[in-house]
Amino acid sequence: MFNYLRQRFTSHIRERSRRRARLVSKDGRCNIEFGNVEQSRFVFLIDIWTTILDLRWRYKMTIFISAFLGSWFLFGLLWYVVAYIHKDLPEFNPSINHTPCVENINGLTSAFLFSLETQVTIGYGFRCVTEQCATAIFLLIFQSILGVIINSFMCGAILAKISRSKNRAKTITFSKNAVISKRGGKLCLLIRVANLRKSLLIGSHIYGKLLKTTITPEGETIILDQVNIEFVVDAGNENLFFISPLTIYHIIDKNSPFFHMAAETILQQDFELVVFLDGTVEATSATCQVRTSYIPEEVLWGYRFAPIVSKTKEGKYRVDFQNFSKTVAVETPHCAFCLYNQKEAKAKEKKGYDNPGFVLEVSETSDTKM
């Protein structure tokens, strides 16, 4: 038992040491940190709307509660000051004919309750402003306007965060692994993507970026150098009919960065393939983007995806998501260069000669005389 636990612990440590840092996580979050930013953090307050929307829910709710409690308590103090200056409080022993600015304010607690009733327009009718002093009327108008502004901003921020297209992107899923196999006689890198909702994404467009470290001829090292990766489906890579899972593929030709990789060397490569899916939400007409990434350990050479779409007896199409990321081993060339050499060799065999530099041309002449 001890040896088994030790082996598991050793394999776990070895796996963690081999784990590569990724810029984009599987769920699309970016793993990047900004340091030594010269601009002040107050610049984020200029675009306060975006700052509030980008906050996590716990911080947003803290600001939401603090804004209301703070405004209620602040105006409660102001109402208490008005009652204190006008000598409406019981400690001043007002006369029977005395008309207070606000009726039934007897202390700080009652002033806070009146501030709460005023700002949220509860209106119990027990405490109310009289026409005795203009200061109280002005304070009532100012608090009412400020309360409407706070309500509009906070409710709008919460509604906007709930309805953000980022939440719609969570119902788009990619396969756990990417595979490399032959498709249509060409070596391709394939990825499966599915829409978990029946509502479509309008004008969907899918593309990829290969991130790797490159060294220029001048000796400059570029970290996270980006190379465009074109993905297509059988109907093109734009305006996808995204009602069922699609298998997108990248053709590994001579212009592809995967052309010089092989099944034996792909695990030694240092790259990260980031896949993007852009589209417009049908229900809200808001644009959204879905992201995921694949590192060399998640690219399986010599596999294809298992079929998941079938037809029932009732004539309906059924998608089995149990096989969504399931792969099946298939016969695949161990490199794209070998596949293209094999095709060129077969093409030469059809021409009837092996050496393209050795071609015997025979010109027929006729010696027959009439």
Side-chain angles (χ1 to χ4, degrees), residues 5 15 27 65 97 113 140 143 233 261 270 277 288 337:
L5 293 176
E15 182 67 23
D27 57 356
I65 296 173
N97 298 327
L113 292 176
L140 175 66
Q143 183 177 5
V233 293
M261 299 182 189
D270 184 15
L277 174 63
C288 69
F337 187 76

Side-chain angles (χ1 to χ4, degrees), residues 31-51:
N31 180 26
I32 191 168
E33 180 179 326
F34 298 101
N36 299 325
V37 180
E38 296 181 358
Q39 290 183 335
S40 174
R41 294 185 179 273
F42 288 103
V43 296
F44 294 99
L45 297 178
I46 299 176
D47 188 13
I48 186 64
W49 180 254
T50 304
T51 302

Side-chain angles (χ1 to χ4, degrees), residues 171 214 239 320 334:
T171 56
T214 59
N239 299 325
D320 186 8
H334 73 283

Side-chain angles (χ1 to χ4, degrees), residues 204-359:
S204 300
H205 174 63
I206 195 161
Y207 57 97
K209 298 285 184 181
L210 187 70
L211 309 179
K212 60 179 182 179
T213 302
T214 59
I215 301 177
T216 63
E218 294 78 17
E220 180 185 2
T221 301
I222 302 177
I223 301 177
L224 297 180
D225 187 24
Q226 300 184 14
V227 180
N228 290 327
I229 302 294
E230 295 293 335
F231 283 98
V232 296
V233 293
D234 295 334
N237 65 338
E238 294 186 1
N239 299 325
L240 305 177
F241 186 50
F242 202 14
I243 195 158
S244 63
L246 297 176
T247 300
I248 60 175
Y249 58 91
H250 164 70
I251 300 176
I252 304 178
D253 53 12
K254 295 182 179 180
N255 297 323
S256 172
F258 294 94
F259 184 76
H260 298 286
M261 299 182 189
E264 297 83 4
T265 62
I266 190 171
L267 293 179
Q268 284 74 40
Q269 302 293 326
D270 184 15
F271 68 85
E272 180 178 354
L273 175 62
V274 183
V275 184
F276 303 86
L277 174 63
D278 298 338
T280 303
V281 181
E282 187 179 25
T284 61
S285 298
T287 58
C288 69
Q289 183 182 85
V290 194
R291 298 180 297 266
T292 191
S293 68
Y294 299 92
I295 57 178
E297 288 80 4
E298 297 170 344
V299 179
L300 307 179
W301 197 296
Y303 289 83
R304 64 172 175 84
F305 290 110
I308 60 174
V309 180
S310 60
K311 196 172 184 179
T312 62
K313 295 181 180 179
E314 295 78 11
K316 296 183 178 180
Y317 292 93
R318 183 176 183 271
V319 179
D320 186 8
F321 280 94
Q322 185 177 0
N323 296 333
F324 179 73
S325 295
K326 186 177 180 180
T327 57
V328 180
V330 292
E331 183 179 355
T332 306
H334 73 283
C335 66
F337 187 76
C338 300
L339 177 63
Y340 282 94
N341 285 345
Q342 183 181 5
K343 288 184 177 180
E344 292 179 0
K346 290 183 179 180
K348 292 176 181 179
E349 290 178 0
K350 292 182 180 180
K351 293 181 179 180
Y353 55 89
D354 295 332
N355 187 358
F358 182 76
V359 180

